[in-house]
Amino acid sequence: MPTSAVVLGVDSSTQSTKTAVVDAHSGRILTVGRAPHAVRGEAGARESDPESWWDALRASVGAALAESKVAPSAVAGIAVAGQQHGLVVLDATGRPLRPAMLWNDTRSAPQAVALTDALGGPAAWLERTGSVPVASMTATKWQWLREHEPETADRAAAVRLPHDFLTERLSGAAATDPGDASGTCWYSTRTRAYDRDLLELIGLDAALLPAVAAGGAERVGSLTARAAEFLGLRPGIAVAAGTGDNMAAAVGLGLGGEGLLDHPVISLGTSGTVFASTRTRPATAGLAGFAAADGTYLPLGCTLNCTLAVDKVAGLFGLDREDAEPGGETVMLPYLDGERSPDLPHASGVLTGLRHATTPRQILGAAYEGAAFSLLRALDDLHAVAGLDPAGPAVRERPLRLIGGGAKGRTWVETIRRLSGRPLVLPEAGELVASGAAALAAGAAWGDDPVRVATAWGAGRGVELPARVRDEVAWRRLEGVLADASGLVRDVH
């Protein structure tokens, strides 16, 4: 690749769009442009206007190029990594028929239960898709739309995921990749294709869906003249298939067939995720059995309540998020928006173990512990899927890579260390999703493997922290409260 070329990596997330201008030779991020977009809804609804993503992409590209002083002629390729699972329904002109239902929209929880039963239970879904339907999955949202807004579903000329929508606006090509497609529950990770039986079950015509590229770095088209004018770029540059945000973060960390396999990552953001790239096809309840962007697999556990929930508790007491102490006897399960892992979509927050001596700082610390506990439970499941013993020394000694906004916080880091008993690596790269997308763009521009590109860029390097002795007392206390709370929630619903 030319030493003077740059690529654009786009991170279109729940709250904003970021565009990173990346030196294609070294992987150095020259600058990042940002633009917000709104999320609306209440009582379980979470929606955004897809047109706001397109406008934010233009604003972020413009800001990034202006700050970096990079000429548009130097840009060789672009790739979009987007928030997963969102349902975008378009008319025949490519315009949204309604706001997109986002990943954290929980209204389709009843549809998730009904679809699971309709196919014969969780095992049948795991065999086909590697995942069991939950409210976040796109298939459940489509079913909700059919039941609650049938006129809109009938008018749909195209159904897209958020990153598909933007990729099509860039290139004119209706394309997705296996990674993001694997989060729909209508794509089979076993056959690596759309599952016709599942599409029939949810009443979705395959003709409405984009073609599935071989990988996220496949060149699916070139930047159209119309998109180039809109964004202020040169027409004809490579447009990659792109992928979901978690898959792009894995690429940005160098996880995959040409990099690290079975090395776990914890991401601390609005939602919390645990994932690792593996060659073993995941198919177990409690995890999303995703495909990765490079042909491997990406088993992933996700919690809805992570940094946002902890910050909410801090705000209730007027505390800074770092003003926390270990919870002691106090236990909080901060399931303020329901929960996905464990699968408790109707749950609310649980607080127990209060004493006269309990302080607000301990309650805040308990919120941290509850959020971290949910993630680490999912991590144990992830290791088992990869054929590893979660309690074995070889696994316990393998460091956790900690990323996301929470990884910058002292209390988050120390809580994960204390409850995991494992060493940590805090990667130096600050924009892993955008950096991973940039590696996809480079792969599309020059035909290289994106994980190999990211690894050559130095993906995953960072500060290493030694392990601490695991707090077994706190862990057992949290396990007991979760068992009691899970039974209560299921009895009520």
Side-chain angles (χ1 to χ4, degrees):
M1 61 185 68
T3 57
S4 60
V6 301
V7 287
L8 302 183
V10 179
D11 173 7
S12 181
S13 68
T14 311
Q15 304 284 350
S16 67
T17 295
K18 304 174 190 174
T19 296
V21 180
V22 177
D23 182 300
H25 183 71
S26 67
R28 184 169 65 92
I29 296 178
L30 304 180
T31 191
V32 179
R34 295 172 172 83
H37 30 81
V39 177
R40 297 182 176 85
E42 55 187 20
R46 297 292 185 275
E47 298 182 340
S48 287
D49 180 3
E51 294 291 352
S52 70
W53 306 335
W54 184 235
D55 291 337
L57 178 55
R58 175 171 63 174
S60 65
V61 167
L65 291 179
E67 184 177 344
S68 67
K69 296 182 172 54
V70 167
S73 60
V75 178
I78 185 170
V80 177
Q83 55 177 307
Q84 290 187 252
H85 308 306
L87 177 66
V88 182
V89 287
L90 307 175
D91 65 17
T93 69
R95 297 289 181 181
L97 289 169
R98 70 178 313 282
M101 296 178 68
L102 304 183
W103 63 273
N104 53 351
D105 189 311
T106 59
R107 287 176 291 177
S108 61
Q111 286 72 29
V113 173
L115 286 174
T116 301
D117 293 342
L119 196 66
W125 283 93
L126 291 171
E127 171 61 22
R128 290 172 180 265
T129 70
S131 302
V132 178
V134 292
S136 59
M137 299 294 188
T138 325
T140 70
K141 300 180 191 305
W142 173 255
Q143 188 71 359
W144 183 93
L145 191 71
R146 292 178 67 213
E147 294 176 13
H148 291 267
E149 300 178 18
E151 300 86 356
T152 302
D154 289 343
R155 290 174 56 205
V159 173
R160 302 287 184 262
L161 296 168
H163 112 261
D164 306 342
F165 170 76
L166 293 171
T167 300
E168 189 168 8
R169 284 284 177 94
L170 292 170
S171 66
T176 191
D177 87 301
D180 213 5
S182 65
T184 61
C185 269
W186 61 59
Y187 175 88
S188 171
T189 55
R190 177 169 53 84
T191 65
R192 294 182 180 269
Y194 293 132
D195 189 305
R196 299 284 173 167
D197 293 337
L198 297 182
L199 292 175
E200 182 177 350
L201 178 66
I202 62 175
L204 179 57
D205 186 349
L208 302 184
L209 299 176
V212 184
E218 180 177 324
R219 181 171 182 160
V220 295
S222 302
L223 190 67
T224 67
R226 183 176 181 180
E229 181 180 6
F230 182 77
L231 297 173
L233 295 172
R234 172 173 58 89
I237 66 172
V239 178
T243 193
D245 51 4
N246 289 297
M247 293 78 191
V251 172
L253 286 164
L255 273 57
E258 296 293 329
L260 297 172
L261 288 170
D262 300 323
H263 280 245
V265 177
I266 293 181
S267 177
L268 302 169
T270 303
S271 65
T273 56
V274 295
F275 57 88
S277 177
T278 179
R279 294 197 186 279
T280 304
R281 177 181 173 267
T284 186
L287 294 178
F290 294 146
D294 73 330
T296 59
Y297 296 97
L298 197 76
L300 181 145
C302 178
T303 62
L304 296 181
N305 300 275
C306 194
T307 60
L308 191 63
V310 169
D311 286 351
K312 175 65 175 180
V313 174
L316 289 174
F317 289 106
L319 297 174
D320 183 270
R321 62 172 63 95
E322 295 294 345
D323 291 338
E325 300 173 359
E329 291 184 61
T330 305
V331 175
M332 175 177 281
L333 302 177
Y335 301 158
L336 307 187
D337 288 314
E339 192 44 86
R340 175 172 164 180
S341 294
D343 183 20
L344 298 170
H346 301 291
S348 57
V350 173
L351 177 61
T352 186
L354 295 178
R355 301 288 186 182
H356 282 293
T358 302
T359 68
R361 286 179 169 80
Q362 288 176 314
I363 296 175
L364 177 57
Y368 274 101
E369 291 169 357
F373 168 73
S374 295
L375 281 166
L376 292 170
R377 285 180 74 253
L379 179 63
D380 286 347
D381 293 339
L382 184 146
H383 284 309
V385 164
L388 303 171
D389 178 6
V395 171
R396 289 291 180 195
E397 293 170 5
R398 184 171 291 173
L400 303 177
R401 282 170 168 77
L402 202 61
I403 65 172
K408 299 178 178 65
R410 172 185 53 81
T411 304
W412 272 113
V413 171
E414 291 307 313
T415 302
I416 295 291
R417 286 181 77 194
R418 180 163 56 86
L419 290 182
S420 71
R422 293 177 60 166
L424 303 184
V425 172
L426 306 179
E428 296 171 356
E431 298 291 347
L432 288 167
V433 174
S435 182
L440 297 178
W446 293 289
D448 204 351
D449 181 277
V451 175
R452 182 163 51 236
V453 169
T455 300
W457 288 349
R461 289 187 304 225
V463 176
E464 299 183 16
L465 300 176
R468 291 180 55 181
V469 176
R470 188 182 187 191
D471 189 340
E472 297 287 354
V473 173
W475 184 272
R476 288 194 295 271
R477 186 182 294 119
L478 284 155
E479 278 189 322
V481 172
L482 176 59
D484 292 343
S486 298
L488 178 61
V489 169
R490 291 190 175 107
D491 288 343
V492 171
H493 294 277

